[in-house]
Amino acid sequence: MTAVVVLVAVLGLAVGSFLNVVVWRVPRGESVVRPASACPGCGAAIRARDNVPVAGWLLLRGRCRDCGAPISRRYPLVEAATAGLFVVMLLRFGVDPVLPAYLYLAAVGLALALIDVDVKRLPDALTLPSYPVAAVLLAFGSAGHADAHSLVRAALGGAAMFAAYFALCFAYPAGMGFGDVKLSGLLGLYAAWLGWDVWATAILLGFFLGGLFGIALVLVRRAGRKTAVPFGPFMLLGTLIAILVGHQLVHSYLALATGGAG
């Protein structure tokens, strides 16, 4: 198992390096393939040996090899975070046919969260193609378990979460962007594949975490009651927590509500 953890962590580092390109270029409508990565200060191409995730930044001491301009710490942090998320998903699912589906969610979710923080929007270029990718990967996971019910539940959960967010956006468009609505269907697929309890936990945690953060900003006077706060990161974080411990949270709540029975 140790070898698998190392392999998945290395994969996460490589994917995280690519996510840095995605997070920077996709909001600007640029290709994520060409041109090759270059220093934004002097324009010098990044050498292959300097592109090694995390290690390259450390060896360069966070500065461009050619002009000495500082390189943001965010690059190695994103790479390390992706590796961490990949390992967490491995520990959650094990070497399972559905693991690739949730590794993909971890990667695209991190990219979407960072973009939403940066530019206050969730680009269709990432969200919409993730639907067919998720459908194929979750179908593969269901086939591996000979469990068609989970795939049907995922489809229903995606549609239900999309409908719920659409209704909220229609009722109060100033409080939610349509990018959040489009993301909700994707998260509903992944959460419902694991069960309706995970699906419900994902929704509730998203709003709870977003509300808690908004209240905290108001209390420290960093925002007013009408300040726009990107909601996508809280939707994604709530879904992540639900995927990891949603069953346990619901079980603990029910046990508490029923006085410890069951």
Side-chain angles (χ1 to χ4, degrees), residues 14 53 68 110 115-116 120 138 143 258:
L110 181 57
I115 291 172
D116 203 11
K120 305 292 191 299
L138 290 173
T258 57

Side-chain angles (χ1 to χ4, degrees), residues 66 80 103 106 144 170 181 226:
D66 294 281
L103 292 181
F170 181 80
V181 177
K226 295 185 178 180

